[in-house]
Amino acid sequence: MLANTLIIRADASIAIATGHVMRCLALAQAWQDSGGNVVFAMAESTPAIEARLRLEGMEIVHLQASPNSIEGARTVSALANDRQATWVIVDGYRFDSEYQRDLKDTGLKLLFIDDLGQCKHYSADIVLDQNVHACEKMYANRKPCTQLLLGPRYVMLRREFQVRRDWRRKIPQLGRKLLITMGGSDPDNLTLRLIETFPRISVPDIEITVVAGGSNPQLAELQRRVAELDLPIHLVGNASNMPDLMAQSDVAIICAGGTLWELLYMGCATLSYFRTPVQGQIIGELDDMGAVHSMGSVEDFDQNSLVRTVEETMACLDRRERMARLGRTLVDGEGIGRVLDSVLCSGTDCTALTMRAVEPDEQEDFLKMAEQHFRELNPMFTPAQDWKKSFFEKIENDPKYSLRWIIVDGRPAGFILFGVEEHRFLPRLTGAIYEVYVIPEQRRKGIARACAKQVINELWKSSPSKIQLEVVEGNAGATELWRSLGFQKVTERFVLTEKDRVTK
């Protein structure tokens, strides 16, 4: 469990920055799920964004200093010290090389989220660029210790999309459900221009859902215009169920931003406009791959082009199938875990983190550590004679169990016990993780998570039907760790230990 605070520096005063806050929210949620706290430090924001962050249990601190200045970096550093935070996440086009250097000079660890390699030099601990074009050459001018996370495999999706990991889209022969969403504020009022175009679109039994973001000042005007049109249009203000709306839609019209990656993950055929050259490059690359259809710049909006493209996409099953396939291939939903692992591993020297089998002559050392582990879980634990005699011997002599030391800096820092068992009633195998323990002085460094992921990957190689584990009731840290790795609670285990307590 993380006893640490994450400081996120991102502003949301304009539409493109709103997307920055929302992708940071995905990392903030993952940090929370691992047991940590989150503070959003913003000089500018919107009421809708702040309401969403507070709903998620995030603290918001309003900064007075200029966002890209020495004073701004010092303000963030002071906040980090006050909250005992070691990591700062920076996301926004206004933050440059000097800002990175200024933050690093204060001793903080820095994850810098980037889109086009626009900085002259990179000194952050980690640079994340989730775009298709991202390559090492763009970040050649960086410190040797700067780690690069490049490409869509690092796209960060929020919790509400993570639960859709096993969902697969059913694509109809003819599409008819259209989704319109232009981000939080839609500063160009593109939504209204799209609505004005709807009467010209000829798609049998079309159903249109229009989402107006929480910061959209044109909501009343949109409501008035929708009421005037004799069309099946459902207008939603500040939708809280975007994954459901995306899942129900055959085609979506958007304006770049974070919604783009969410739609790719959801396998929804996407037609996208762009507002900035940065967005234009991203959309153009995805268009070249066939994953998205570029509608061009918002400034070049053309009704005829929109009508033609919507009708063609709704009618073309092959196009929608190809977009769905490419979308889920590009964005597999594992990005947030990869980013979080990199951040946690940067808190310790993961190259010095290894595992090895516990040898027979190490029985006494293991039992001593195991006793400490079980006493932490249950202060009343007292090792019985059979436990002392048989616990290690049973593990050592049964090939279905694997017991390993967790080695940090050449010394045991914990242990992990796992195995593969035959199903009790069926001809199947079941993977199991029985115990994970890290000594107190090595906790909050991502060690348990790193070892657990390695063991999970090893267990899958035995082709079990599932991997399962148990968590002692009240062990919140373990619960959040396993949930963050994709485990779900499916049952409760009840134990009866004293026969005289049976109710007659």
Side-chain angles (χ1 to χ4, degrees):
M1 182 176 181
L2 294 170
N4 196 3
T5 299
L6 188 73
I7 304 293
I8 294 180
R9 181 69 180 91
D11 291 328
S13 61
I14 55 177
I16 56 173
T18 301
H20 297 156
V21 173
M22 297 313 287
R23 68 182 174 186
C24 285
L25 176 58
L27 181 56
Q29 289 174 333
W31 192 263
Q32 279 184 328
D33 290 342
S34 293
N37 302 313
V38 179
V39 177
F40 273 82
M42 297 187 289
E44 301 162 333
S45 185
T46 68
I49 287 293
E50 293 199 11
R52 175 64 191 272
L53 295 179
R54 289 197 172 95
L55 184 64
E56 296 281 348
M58 313 289 180
E59 181 184 358
I60 301 172
V61 173
H62 297 280
L63 304 181
Q64 302 300 320
S66 174
N68 193 32
S69 64
I70 294 178
E71 182 185 357
R74 289 173 178 169
T75 301
V76 172
S77 176
L79 176 63
N81 289 331
D82 182 67
R83 300 299 194 277
Q84 296 183 322
T86 56
W87 273 97
V88 173
I89 313 301
V90 171
D91 191 357
Y93 298 146
R94 290 182 291 181
F95 302 110
D96 58 16
S97 302
E98 287 71 25
Y99 189 76
Q100 292 181 56
R101 186 197 61 220
D102 293 338
L103 277 177
K104 286 300 298 173
D105 285 346
T106 66
L108 293 168
K109 297 186 75 67
L110 174 63
L111 168 62
F112 192 82
I113 303 179
D114 198 69
D115 283 309
L116 279 176
Q118 62 263 30
C119 295
K120 295 178 181 178
H121 185 267
Y122 291 84
S123 54
D125 297 275
I126 300 175
V127 173
L128 165 63
D129 185 338
Q130 65 183 15
N131 297 293
V132 174
H133 62 256
C135 63
E136 187 172 355
K137 183 179 180 181
M138 294 168 52
Y139 301 98
N141 194 8
R142 68 183 190 275
K143 282 193 172 182
C145 61
T146 298
Q147 179 185 0
L148 301 179
L149 306 181
L150 305 178
R153 69 190 308 268
Y154 293 104
V155 168
M156 299 184 292
L157 297 174
R158 302 190 304 277
R159 284 193 197 109
E160 55 261 44
F161 290 94
Q162 294 291 323
V163 298
R164 293 272 182 173
R165 188 168 299 174
D166 296 326
W167 175 82
R168 291 296 180 270
R169 175 176 294 276
K170 295 181 180 179
I171 303 176
Q173 185 70 34
L174 296 174
R176 62 183 184 84
K177 296 184 177 181
L178 182 64
L179 174 66
I180 312 297
T181 174
M182 293 296 142
S185 60
D186 189 14
D188 310 289
N189 204 9
L190 182 57
T191 304
L192 181 61
R193 284 185 274 175
L194 292 170
I195 289 175
E196 299 288 358
T197 308
F198 291 162
R200 296 184 52 193
I201 297 176
S202 179
V203 173
D205 301 317
I206 191 171
E207 296 179 13
I208 303 170
T209 299
V210 177
V211 176
S215 302
N216 192 325
Q218 309 296 332
L219 181 58
E221 183 181 4
L222 295 175
Q223 291 172 330
R224 178 188 59 78
R225 190 66 185 111
V226 166
E228 293 173 351
L229 294 175
D230 185 21
L231 288 172
I233 302 175
H234 177 49
L235 179 61
V236 181
N238 198 23
S240 59
N241 62 333
M242 285 305 297
D244 293 335
L245 296 178
M246 292 178 181
Q248 297 162 8
S249 303
D250 300 310
V251 175
I253 305 175
I254 66 169
C255 190
T259 305
L260 170 67
W261 304 105
E262 295 164 357
L263 285 164
L264 286 170
Y265 178 70
M266 295 299 294
C268 184
T270 301
L271 318 179
S272 182
Y273 293 92
F274 57 85
R275 294 188 178 98
T276 69
V278 173
Q279 293 178 342
Q281 179 174 341
I282 295 169
I283 295 300
E285 291 162 347
L286 291 168
D287 183 280
D288 290 341
M289 298 175 62
V292 170
H293 184 93
S294 175
M295 298 301 297
S297 170
V298 171
E299 296 178 354
D300 300 325
F301 175 80
D302 179 74
Q303 280 195 346
N304 294 328
S305 175
L306 175 63
V307 171
R308 181 176 63 255
T309 305
V310 170
E311 292 178 349
E312 290 176 352
T313 306
M314 288 292 194
C316 186
L317 174 63
D318 289 345
R319 179 184 298 182
R320 285 179 281 116
E321 285 182 334
R322 181 176 68 255
M323 286 181 164
R325 182 176 64 254
L326 288 172
R328 184 53 76 96
T329 300
L330 285 169
V331 185
D332 62 5
E334 303 289 343
I336 190 64
R338 296 182 183 112
V339 175
L340 184 61
D341 286 345
S342 296
V343 171
L344 292 176
C345 283
S346 290
T348 188
D349 183 4
C350 287
T351 61
L353 175 62
T354 60
M355 292 189 292
R356 67 166 177 83
V358 178
E359 300 296 337
D361 61 359
E362 297 175 308
Q363 175 177 346
E364 184 176 344
D365 292 335
F366 166 72
L367 289 178
K368 183 178 179 180
M369 187 178 289
E371 182 178 343
Q372 180 179 343
H373 167 49
F374 291 120
R375 188 166 284 123
E376 286 186 21
L377 295 175
N378 176 12
M380 303 300 294
F381 174 78
T382 301
Q385 200 60 38
D386 61 343
W387 185 87
K388 295 179 180 179
K389 180 179 184 300
S390 302
F391 183 59
F392 179 80
E393 291 182 1
K394 175 65 175 176
I395 296 169
E396 178 68 21
N397 296 325
D398 195 327
K400 68 172 176 279
Y401 300 125
S402 294
L403 175 62
R404 295 180 185 167
W405 288 122
I406 298 172
I407 306 295
V408 177
D409 296 328
R411 302 179 61 183
F415 65 86
I416 186 165
L417 175 61
F418 62 100
V420 178
E421 304 175 346
E422 293 184 359
H423 194 285
R424 283 177 291 180
F425 309 114
L426 301 173
R428 302 176 185 170
L429 296 177
T430 299
I433 300 175
Y434 304 104
E435 306 292 344
V436 180
Y437 179 70
V438 176
I439 59 177
E441 55 267 33
Q442 292 292 350
R443 292 174 189 168
R444 297 178 292 278
K445 298 180 180 180
I447 292 174
R449 181 181 180 87
C451 293
K453 285 182 71 72
Q454 183 174 327
V455 164
I456 290 168
N457 290 333
E458 184 172 337
L459 286 171
W460 282 129
K461 293 177 182 178
S462 299
S463 301
S465 60
K466 61 184 177 182
I467 298 175
Q468 62 187 22
L469 53 87
E470 294 180 3
V471 175
V472 174
E473 186 176 10
N475 191 346
T479 298
E480 295 301 336
L481 167 65
W482 299 118
R483 282 181 175 167
S484 72
L485 289 172
F487 287 82
Q488 297 180 4
K489 180 179 178 180
V490 296
T491 186
E492 291 185 80
R493 185 182 184 191
F494 296 88
V495 178
L496 182 66
T497 58
E498 298 182 30
K499 62 181 180 181
D500 58 351
R501 289 191 178 184
V502 176
T503 302
K504 297 182 179 180

